[in-house]
Amino acid sequence: AFLEEQFNLWLYQYVFSGDSEWTETRIKQLQTLRDIALKIIAFISQFEDELVKIWNKPKFVINSNYVITLDRLVHHSPVADGISSVSPPLRGGPSIRKTEGDGGEGENLELIEKLLKHPNFKKQIEEWQQLGIVGESFKKSDILKKDLTGVYLSKEYRYLPIDTKYFKDLEPEILMLFDNLDEELDGWLIKSENYQALRTILPKFQGKVQTVYIDPPFNLETNADFMYNVNYRDSTWTSLLENRIRIARDFLNERGCFFVRCDHNGNYIVKSLMDEIFGAGNYKNEIIVNRFKRQLNELTRFNIATESLFYYGKSQKSILKGDYRRRICTFCGQDIKPQWRPMSSPGLRRPPERNILGRKLLPPRGRHWTFTQDKLNLMETQGRIRINNALNYIDLEGKRIQGLPEYLQTEDTPVDSNWTDLKGYAFGSTFSTENAEELLFRAIKVTSYNDRDIICDFFLGSGTTTSVAHKMGKKWLGVELGSHFYNYILPRMKNILSEYNSDISKEVKWQGGGFFKYYQFEQYEETLRRVKYDDADLFDDPNKDPYNQYVFLRDLKMLEALNVDLKKNKVTVDLSKLYDGIDIAETLSNLTGKWIKRLTPHSVEFAGGETIDFKNLDYKLIKPLIWW
């Protein structure tokens, strides 16, 4: 419609802009030109619509694997579900033993013993060594210990992360330990272009996320690290954010919160964009955070020391949890000792009088006492109230009062919109724009109410959001496209599970352990390579208008996944004709919005009780994946 409108505008200007006289021949030429142009525009529009449909279609999940620590395997053993333990084991039966330090509680180590005997366990050890989780002298025999009480899992190695990519034949046995798989998972790590990922997983996570934090590539007119393109025109950058944030808003529950980090290059764009998507009434704060300070080689402006974190709520139900921070010096970074401060604030309040250390006093003229009487009584018992007789003041009635009431500050002060007491970026990281863990810790702490709230980041970058959320006991969802997904983010998460201590680990008393899933999505380019289009002669019928002969609805697209038996009037589905390693359960979970409860090698049971047999898929169920 836009191209057609522009062509008509051009033609109008061309015809009426001059004083030339038009011959009948010239007018017919222009009419022919218009007919041809409009038909070409219609064909191009049809082609563009087809590409948009491919871009927006739900995507197949491929190359999925799980990472789970040994303690989770032991904890979800049959013994934990009520099978009594024996020691020593019966010959030929499962090895049921205690875990070191568990007080003798029985555990099933049979699955761990299978892992240890697996031919790929050597590759798993090599990965641990590369990650620095174990040393070069580590042996698999160190995992299980044996003494007079029997065999048990070593406490030192209970948080070793098992990656099922090395043990695909044992993966079903691992997953069948869990009666509510998606609820048991700590998180999902997704390698994908984020718009396509958000579109695909929206049915599954709609209304379930508590906090979204994104640090999108800033529009800096230079290229950033790790394949991030940041050289956008403002309109392109705005469109990139708008399309993704608008979808992500629907992920939030009604109490959900959204953070966007930016700098002076795009702050004005982010603020207006977020106002439009969330509503100006749901704007909460522009939070000031630290950035790396780089000395400018110019004398025309000050060094840029801060960036902004725009904070919005999904609705008026989005309420912060109160939090406190240490009083520190802005310049030296050292703790500031609590000081005695005058105990009055601007403005009049009723009732004005307070009983302060046995004296009934009115506040200074035009002011009110800062604290209620109950709060004052409590502070008096804490020794935090005094009357400074060296000072005097004029009260509400104009009387000069000898002795000014003062209060002693606490060691901590409420958190406000100035977060420059925290590091903005991680120092010493090989990922130059890695957000500091303490920054994410505060953002999640003040906006997340429950232990298993879901925290989401679809510009995951170095993986700080998922790392911090995991240590805090939250569920998490991370999306990233770059190659650093496998060589930086995934290794980082495995290290976190293995009890790796860094940044906030001590504050949250992190000890290790976890269970998460990582996978890829079929991407737009992969779909294009596999789509089947009609290769017949475009203009095979001379009696038809050539511009209307080719329509995409007659193409095969991805229908090769269907086998049609006309004799039996039956359609069967064979997704292996499209991709190797499709995770049918996760694909259907995203498509239907139903969480996975139980998973077997041949079927999936969703929350609510519906079970789907992989060998008897209903073609109507998967239609959005293969036909658009």
Side-chain angles (χ1 to χ4, degrees):
F2 175 76
L3 287 177
E4 184 176 334
E5 177 185 344
Q6 293 299 303
F7 177 81
N8 286 331
L9 181 62
W10 170 83
L11 185 60
Y12 178 86
Q13 294 294 331
Y14 179 74
V15 172
F16 293 103
S17 61
D19 298 326
S20 303
E21 294 183 3
W22 297 93
T23 65
E24 182 179 355
T25 301
R26 185 58 173 159
I27 291 174
K28 288 183 178 179
Q29 289 174 344
L30 289 175
Q31 288 175 336
T32 302
L33 173 64
R34 183 178 185 276
D35 289 343
I36 294 174
L38 293 182
K39 288 173 180 177
I40 292 174
I41 288 172
F43 179 77
I44 293 174
S45 297
Q46 183 190 157
F47 176 68
E48 288 181 335
D49 288 344
E50 176 73 2
L51 296 182
V52 170
K53 289 177 181 178
I54 294 174
W55 179 255
N56 285 329
K57 92 170 188 74
K59 302 299 189 288
F60 285 103
V61 175
I62 56 178
N63 300 331
S64 68
N65 297 290
Y66 296 81
V67 178
I68 183 169
T69 49
L70 295 178
D71 69 305
R72 287 285 187 100
L73 292 177
V74 167
H75 179 71
H76 284 87
S77 69
V79 170
D81 294 329
I83 299 177
S84 61
S85 61
V86 293
S87 181
L90 299 173
R91 185 177 296 275
S95 300
I96 301 175
R97 297 290 187 271
K98 72 170 187 177
T99 301
E100 183 180 15
D102 70 0
E105 180 184 353
E107 301 290 1
N108 188 351
L109 301 180
E110 182 179 20
L111 187 52
I112 293 180
E113 290 174 338
K114 288 183 180 180
L115 289 169
L116 295 175
K117 295 175 182 178
H118 198 281
N120 284 341
F121 199 80
K122 181 179 180 181
K123 293 181 180 179
Q124 180 67 86
I125 293 177
E126 290 173 353
E127 178 188 271
W128 292 337
Q129 291 172 335
Q130 291 171 0
L131 294 175
I133 294 174
V134 299
E136 292 297 322
S137 62
F138 173 83
K139 303 182 297 296
K140 66 179 181 180
S141 58
D142 296 334
I143 292 176
L144 296 179
K145 291 188 175 182
K146 184 177 181 180
D147 58 25
L148 294 177
T149 64
V151 181
Y152 50 89
L153 179 63
S154 167
K155 186 175 182 180
E156 181 181 358
Y157 297 115
R158 59 183 168 170
Y159 298 135
L160 288 177
I162 296 293
D163 190 331
T164 62
K165 72 177 181 180
Y166 300 118
F167 313 101
K168 298 305 287 186
D169 54 330
L170 292 180
E171 184 179 89
E173 189 173 346
I174 292 173
L175 301 181
M176 287 172 65
L177 292 175
F178 300 91
D179 290 327
N180 208 341
L181 183 59
D182 274 342
E183 290 291 346
E184 293 278 1
L185 286 174
D186 296 312
W188 297 262
L189 207 54
I190 303 171
K191 186 180 189 299
S192 172
E193 189 280 326
N194 52 16
Y195 176 85
Q196 296 175 81
L198 292 172
R199 287 271 306 189
T200 299
I201 65 178
L202 176 59
K204 181 167 184 172
F205 291 98
Q206 186 168 10
K208 292 183 172 67
V209 171
Q210 175 58 38
T211 303
V212 174
Y213 180 102
I214 60 170
D215 180 10
F218 298 166
N219 203 18
L220 303 176
E221 300 178 355
T222 57
N223 284 332
D225 291 342
F226 299 99
M227 299 176 64
Y228 278 137
N229 179 20
V230 292
N231 189 17
Y232 296 110
R233 293 181 181 273
D234 284 352
S235 59
T236 304
W237 192 72
T238 303
S239 178
L240 180 147
L241 290 182
E242 192 272 341
N243 292 335
R244 290 151 179 80
I245 293 175
R246 192 173 295 279
I247 298 174
R249 180 186 180 276
D250 291 336
F251 280 60
L252 293 174
N253 61 48
E254 286 304 303
R255 300 179 73 185
C257 302
F258 205 112
F259 292 95
V260 184
R261 183 169 183 166
C262 197
D263 72 351
H264 64 282
N265 290 287
N267 283 349
Y268 70 101
I269 295 175
V270 169
K271 178 63 169 65
S272 60
L273 184 63
M274 295 293 286
D275 280 349
E276 177 186 341
I277 296 173
F278 282 81
N282 288 316
Y283 165 72
K284 304 296 184 181
N285 291 101
E286 179 180 356
I287 299 167
I288 306 303
V289 298
N290 280 314
R291 61 164 288 167
F292 291 126
K293 298 179 182 179
R294 297 181 175 90
Q295 188 67 37
L296 299 174
N297 295 320
E298 55 181 282
L299 299 177
T300 59
R301 59 172 175 160
F302 295 109
N303 285 324
I304 300 169
T306 62
E307 292 172 352
S308 295
L309 195 59
F310 290 94
Y311 161 47
Y312 282 74
K314 172 72 175 288
S315 70
Q316 293 303 309
K317 295 180 180 179
S318 304
I319 301 173
L320 282 175
K321 290 171 59 180
D323 195 20
Y324 290 82
R325 63 174 178 82
R326 294 181 300 118
R327 297 182 185 276
I328 62 171
C329 173
T330 303
F331 302 101
C332 66
Q334 300 298 312
D335 287 352
I336 297 176
K337 292 183 178 180
Q339 300 177 10
W340 288 96
R341 308 286 294 179
M343 200 184 65
S344 65
S345 303
L348 299 176
R349 298 273 180 88
R350 297 292 178 184
E353 190 177 70
R354 295 285 186 274
N355 189 326
I356 304 173
L357 294 176
R359 295 174 59 180
K360 292 185 177 181
L361 296 172
L362 291 172
R365 182 179 297 169
R367 300 175 71 84
H368 67 274
W369 295 126
T370 303
F371 306 108
T372 65
Q373 187 64 60
D374 289 342
K375 180 67 173 177
L376 270 171
N377 295 340
L378 176 62
M379 294 173 71
E380 284 184 11
T381 63
Q382 297 171 341
R384 293 179 52 217
I385 299 296
R386 75 179 185 183
I387 295 179
N388 187 347
N389 290 313
L391 301 174
N392 57 62
Y393 69 97
I394 305 299
D395 71 9
L396 292 180
E397 296 178 345
K399 297 179 182 178
R400 181 176 295 277
I401 306 298
Q402 187 66 36
L404 178 68
E406 295 179 333
Y407 73 95
L408 180 64
Q409 296 174 324
T410 58
E411 293 183 356
D412 295 329
T413 185
V415 169
D416 53 26
S417 63
N418 182 356
W419 289 13
T420 55
D421 58 305
L422 306 176
K423 296 193 296 288
Y425 290 104
F427 292 107
S429 171
T430 56
F431 198 103
S432 64
T433 55
E434 181 174 318
N435 280 223
E437 285 196 4
E438 59 190 47
L439 179 67
L440 266 298
F441 175 63
R442 178 174 291 174
I444 296 172
K445 182 180 181 182
V446 299
T447 58
S448 175
Y449 309 91
N450 303 307
D451 287 344
R452 299 296 279 174
D453 281 340
I454 300 177
I455 313 300
C456 175
D457 186 344
F458 52 91
F459 283 99
L460 189 54
S462 65
T464 301
T465 303
T466 53
S467 298
V468 172
H470 190 86
K471 291 181 183 180
M472 294 176 69
K474 312 294 182 181
K475 290 173 78 76
W476 47 265
L477 176 61
V479 181
E480 183 55 65
L481 176 62
S483 60
H484 58 285
F485 178 93
Y486 286 115
N487 57 37
Y488 197 97
I489 300 174
L490 184 57
R492 181 177 184 179
M493 292 308 302
K494 289 178 178 179
N495 268 306
I496 296 297
L497 265 63
S498 72
E499 200 180 2
Y500 178 69
N501 291 316
S502 63
D503 299 305
I504 69 162
S505 296
K506 183 177 181 180
E507 184 169 358
V508 299
K509 299 179 180 178
W510 175 242
Q511 294 184 354
F515 180 27
F516 70 88
K517 183 174 189 175
Y518 68 95
Y519 59 82
Q520 297 176 214
F521 274 128
E522 161 202 24
Q523 294 296 285
Y524 170 78
E525 297 81 3
E526 293 175 303
T527 308
L528 280 178
R529 283 194 291 268
R530 285 169 171 79
V531 171
K532 302 295 183 182
Y533 289 108
D534 197 320
D535 58 359
D537 189 346
L538 179 60
F539 309 116
D540 56 358
D541 189 344
N543 298 316
K544 289 184 179 180
D545 181 350
Y547 297 101
N548 292 323
Q549 286 187 48
Y550 190 78
V551 291
F552 288 102
L553 286 177
R554 78 180 190 182
D555 291 309
L556 182 64
K557 301 186 190 295
M558 302 181 84
L559 291 180
E560 64 176 314
L562 303 184
N563 298 317
V564 181
D565 190 333
L566 296 177
K567 292 182 178 180
K568 296 182 179 180
N569 193 28
K570 184 177 181 181
V571 179
T572 57
V573 179
D574 184 2
L575 297 179
S576 65
K577 292 184 177 181
L578 302 178
Y579 297 97
D580 292 328
I582 292 178
D583 185 334
I584 300 175
E586 194 70 40
T587 299
L588 295 179
S589 178
N590 290 326
L591 190 63
T592 63
K594 299 175 181 178
W595 280 39
I596 298 171
K597 186 174 177 61
R598 286 188 61 83
L599 194 59
T600 75
H602 309 296
S603 66
V604 57
E605 178 187 345
F606 291 117
E610 181 183 6
T611 299
I612 294 178
D613 185 348
F614 298 150
K615 293 184 178 180
N616 293 293
L617 289 175
D618 185 345
Y619 72 93
K620 294 188 290 295
L621 181 61
I622 66 160
K623 180 181 176 182
L625 295 157
I626 63 176
W627 179 258
W628 43 88

